[in-house]
Amino acid sequence: NSCAEAIDLPFGTTTVGAINGTYLTSANGGCWNPPAAPATDATAAEWYIFTATSDMLVRINTNLPVNVAPNSVDTRISVYTGTCGNLDCYTGSDDVNPAAPPAGIYLTDFDFFVTEGTTYYVAFDNRWSSASFVVEFSNIPPNCDTTIPYAETWEVKENFLCWDTFNIDSDAISWQYNDVNDFTGDGTDDAILALPSAATGNAPKDDWAISGGLDLTAGTEYTITIKYFGLNNGAGQTANEDLQIF
């Protein structure tokens, strides 16, 4: 099929038929790809569509028993927003483990946040295989328990949905979940709640992240511990920050 003929992607498992639909090279060959990669490394795709009914974390997974040996397939997935005539790359993924056989797992398993009311196009391309396969699409619900003692370490990605964020300065840059940077220098990426600076300059930010309510007892003393990092932005701008807590 084509982007314009995209099929609804429901929660649960779906069988994707042989990949023989339209592949859009104008979308840079897929959202899994860096901009420098060639846009013509696949020749076909199958298209699906879903509209988020709420803010949520969703997962697309082809690393399922039905897809492994002796029925092994190799999947690659791109996710777009926008319209078929003007797609915007949103996210995507290729291999669970790209290592050489036998360690490599060439199926795909990734998750991403979606926004209520936004429509997403999912393209499965034939860069590695045109064979039919089964895909599982699911919602990962958060655990918004705020029982004392309460700790938010951001290691549970979906719990970002338990917080309300407000972009008061309306600059299109607000609090976001980040687990793809090593802030402590130990060689392991750290999960944090991040507020990027403006693209240029160090203009003051006015953005808020608010947790769910905490059930505190009158007359009881509580200790609040907060850790935050100031990050140089790589454009010669040194971190110069303060953080207000209420």
Side-chain angles (χ1 to χ4, degrees):
N1 65 348
S2 66
C3 177
E5 301 167 326
I7 302 168
D8 286 338
L9 182 63
F11 288 128
T13 56
T14 296
T15 299
V16 178
I19 299 177
N20 54 19
T22 304
Y23 180 67
L24 291 182
T25 57
S26 61
N28 192 40
C31 294
W32 55 272
N33 235 347
T40 56
D41 63 350
T43 59
E46 293 299 313
W47 290 84
Y48 288 80
I49 188 174
F50 72 93
T51 299
T53 56
S54 64
D55 293 349
M56 65 181 79
L57 181 68
V58 297
R59 177 187 182 194
I60 297 179
N61 179 27
T62 64
N63 189 24
L64 307 171
V66 68
N67 293 331
V68 300
N71 302 310
S72 296
V73 292
D74 187 341
T75 55
R76 193 174 69 175
I77 305 170
S78 296
V79 181
Y80 305 90
T81 57
T83 63
C84 289
N86 186 28
L87 290 172
D88 294 315
C89 201
Y90 186 70
T91 189
S93 190
D94 191 350
D95 300 328
V96 171
N97 182 354
I105 301 175
Y106 307 126
L107 294 160
T108 311
D109 187 359
F110 68 114
D111 55 46
F112 53 96
F113 289 107
V114 296
T115 302
E116 180 179 3
T118 300
T119 295
Y120 299 85
Y121 292 89
V122 180
F124 303 92
D125 70 52
N126 72 337
R127 172 64 179 88
W128 307 114
S129 173
S130 296
S132 174
F133 59 90
V134 174
V135 60
E136 180 182 63
F137 182 48
S138 59
N139 169 28
I140 305 175
N143 177 5
C144 297
D145 182 16
T146 56
T147 302
I148 303 297
Y150 170 75
E152 182 53 81
T153 62
W154 304 112
E155 293 176 358
V156 181
K157 183 175 182 177
E158 57 269 27
N159 286 356
F160 173 61
L161 297 167
C162 302
W163 288 62
D164 292 318
T165 58
F166 297 91
N167 182 23
I168 304 301
D169 51 30
S170 301
D171 65 353
I173 303 174
S174 189
W175 290 99
Q176 57 192 247
Y177 184 87
N178 183 313
D179 61 356
V180 295
N181 296 104
D182 175 15
F183 291 96
T184 59
D186 63 359
T188 301
D189 291 338
D190 302 294
I192 65 167
L193 188 64
L195 179 61
S197 63
T200 58
N202 279 320
K205 296 288 295 173
D206 189 6
D207 298 84
W208 299 89
I210 301 177
S211 72
L214 302 177
D215 188 11
L216 306 181
T217 302
T220 301
E221 182 177 298
Y222 297 91
T223 299
I224 301 175
T225 302
I226 297 174
K227 179 188 292 185
Y228 79 99
F229 302 93
L231 180 67
N232 299 338
N233 74 354
Q237 295 174 346
T238 302
N240 180 19
E241 307 173 6
D242 60 60
L243 186 68
Q244 292 179 308
I245 305 295
F246 292 92

